[in-house]
Amino acid sequence: MATPKGYIGYPIVGDSSLEFYRDVPLYLQSRIQEHGTRIFQGRILNKPTVFVCSASAVRELLTEHHTKMKLGYKAILHNLYGDNIMFEEAGEADRLHALMHHVFVQSSLPRFQQILQKYIHRHFSDLHSRADVEVYALFKQFATELMLALFFDLDVEDSPDLVREVTSLATTHWHGVISVPLSFKVSYWSSSYKRAVEAKERLLELVREQLARRGPEGSFMDRANRAGFKDQAELEQHILPFVSALVPKAIASILASFVQAVSSNGQECLQERAREDCEFLNWCLLETERLWPPVIGGRRLVTKDFVLDGYKIPKGYGIIYVSSMAHRDPQDFTNPDSYDPHRWAVNLEEQKKLLFCYGAGPRCCVGTSLMRTLVQTVSEYIVQRYSWTLGPSQETPDYKWLPIARPKEMSATFSRIHQSGSSSDDANGSR
């Protein structure tokens, strides 16, 4: 039984967190090359940590060994998100998953498609009339307003001031999240972190007010009140992530990466094929998930010794599984760094098991189906109505990898495609 290669160093002085957070791909690629394996160890957040960058090993970790680990960000993020499913373990997590499936999944959201089409039309029907669209900002605004409409029963046209307040609070809250690595090393109560906690408390007040209004019968707030959470505080904590910046940023990341990947800068055939073939569009989106998952991976703390792909993982260690690197594992993906939607034409369901954009196993994201439907619907709307090119020298934009991966400073110009029936469709905001 092998010990993972690598050097865990001494406490404090041997920590490589700063190097890791500064340039995640470089840190991981250099270690993989140095050690000749995609499973290795180092010291992160002052804890001996095993990195898992193999697709098969990540799947084994999340499906077979999930009971031997606990989630690894509670100590860092608990003050910002409170007690919710992101931090719970075992039976408690199962209970919350079941509750959330009744309230937060697509099939349980009343008028999901109607609301989605309304916001798609509002944000994307006039892209051809805008110059140099900042792609990520466009999708983030769309996703923010959509999440507030779906989970907060709040429409920007009816309550613009409240929408602005929630959006501003979510931004302040997020700045606390992105300051966590430094705050963790220095002080939890740095000014940005303190403001983030205060923003969280105000967001919870607004959630409480919206829950008190309940909304019409069958609305999200009404269903949430009747879902069976053990108390009001638990319900509020589970609505918080959906009105924070986390989910909108993840949606914007995937959509912006898709626009970048199938831009007309040498990729006209991809846009045309996606326009004509829904199955090919789905392959494009899976390939986007593979190369650019919004969250690079996850962290766990080992509570019981186990063996992973032949390596002993000791109790007390941290584990960081890296989806973005596992998705580029040459053992499972030929030409792993190439954007090739056709790779999904063969063994689709088996290959999808090696995608961890939304996690895997019992702790996978409860909103996976909703997210994929949302992204598919938006992508289909855009590709059916527009062709687009990226701004100068942006065919391969730089990526920001933490805390949410996304293309940096990417703009695009959209040209309208005139198709029969499109004018009437746009008039009512549906396809």
Side-chain angles (χ1 to χ4, degrees), residues 16 22 85 88 117 120 125 160 180 236 272 310 318 322 352 355-356 358 360 367 382:
S16 58
R22 182 184 291 124
I85 197 171
E88 296 295 349
Q117 292 292 346
I120 286 175
S125 63
V180 158
E236 293 166 7
E272 183 176 349
V322 190
K352 282 174 67 176
L355 284 185
F356 312 107
Y358 303 103
I382 291 174

Side-chain angles (χ1 to χ4, degrees), residues 55-237:
S56 59
V58 171
R59 178 154 189 85
E60 179 185 341
L61 182 77
L62 297 180
T63 58
E64 298 180 25
H65 302 299
H66 65 96
T67 60
K68 302 160 191 169
M69 303 175 291
K70 63 181 181 180
L71 301 186
Y73 290 112
K74 183 170 184 176
I76 302 172
L77 295 177
H78 182 265
N79 280 335
L80 291 175
Y81 285 101
D83 292 317
N84 64 43
I85 197 171
M86 292 191 292
F87 310 125
E88 296 295 349
E89 308 294 336
E92 185 68 2
D94 292 340
R95 177 184 70 84
L96 290 169
H97 258 278
L99 287 177
M100 293 178 73
H101 268 291
H102 287 297
V103 185
F104 289 85
V105 297
Q106 175 188 340
S107 60
S108 298
L109 290 174
R111 302 189 301 115
F112 169 75
Q113 280 294 340
Q114 181 181 346
I115 294 172
L116 176 58
Q117 292 292 346
K118 175 181 178 179
Y119 279 84
I120 286 175
H121 180 70
R122 178 179 294 173
H123 286 270
F124 308 131
S125 63
D126 66 343
L127 290 180
H128 57 290
S129 66
R130 310 185 209 175
D132 296 326
V133 175
E134 294 294 331
V135 176
Y136 177 76
L138 168 76
F139 289 128
K140 186 172 68 171
Q141 182 179 1
F142 155 77
T144 298
E145 293 183 9
L146 177 65
M147 291 299 103
L148 292 179
L150 287 174
F151 297 109
F152 217 50
D153 295 339
L154 191 62
D155 191 299
V156 65
E157 290 186 345
D158 299 330
S159 308
D161 292 340
L162 186 52
V163 168
R164 279 194 293 269
E165 180 183 6
V166 173
T167 302
S168 176
L169 289 167
T171 299
T172 302
H173 181 248
W174 184 254
H175 287 163
V177 174
I178 63 179
S179 73
V180 158
L182 290 178
S183 295
F184 183 81
K185 285 175 168 294
V186 182
S187 169
Y188 268 124
W189 297 104
S190 65
S191 58
S192 59
Y193 196 89
K194 184 177 181 180
R195 286 195 297 269
V197 174
E198 291 169 351
K200 179 204 75 172
E201 294 304 325
R202 175 57 181 154
L203 284 171
L204 286 173
E205 287 180 14
L206 294 173
V207 169
R208 199 169 300 125
E209 291 173 8
Q210 289 297 102
L211 285 168
R213 295 188 182 99
R214 298 190 73 93
E217 185 176 355
S219 69
F220 171 76
M221 286 297 181
D222 175 59
R223 293 177 64 90
N225 269 303
R226 297 186 286 106
F229 287 93
K230 65 182 181 182
D231 55 35
Q232 183 79 4
E234 183 178 78
L235 172 56
E236 293 166 7
Q237 296 288 354

Side-chain angles (χ1 to χ4, degrees), residues 374-385:
L374 191 161
V375 169
Q376 176 94 20
T377 305
V378 172
S379 301
E380 188 172 353
Y381 181 98
I382 291 174
V383 82
Q384 289 293 335
R385 283 159 176 76

Side-chain angles (χ1 to χ4, degrees), residues 59 279 282-283 286 333 343-356 360 368 372:
R59 178 154 189 85
E279 184 178 32
N282 183 50
W283 297 348
L286 289 171
F333 298 101
R343 73 173 76 246
W344 299 96
V346 180
N347 296 326
L348 175 65
E349 293 306 317
E350 287 302 309
Q351 285 198 102
K352 282 174 67 176
K353 293 178 181 178
L354 298 177
L355 284 185
F356 312 107
T368 299
R372 281 188 165 143

Side-chain angles (χ1 to χ4, degrees), residues 9-56:
Y10 294 100
I12 308 298
V13 295
D15 190 87
S16 58
S17 299
L18 187 59
E19 182 186 357
F20 173 68
Y21 287 118
R22 182 184 291 124
D23 192 328
V24 174
L26 178 61
Y27 178 93
L28 297 171
Q29 290 164 1
S30 65
R31 265 63 174 186
I32 290 172
Q33 184 174 1
E34 177 185 356
H35 303 309
T37 176
R38 301 183 79 85
I39 301 176
F40 55 89
Q41 63 181 350
R43 181 176 289 274
I44 299 293
L45 297 177
N46 205 31
K47 180 176 284 291
T49 298
V50 175
F51 289 87
V52 183
C53 304
S54 153
S56 59

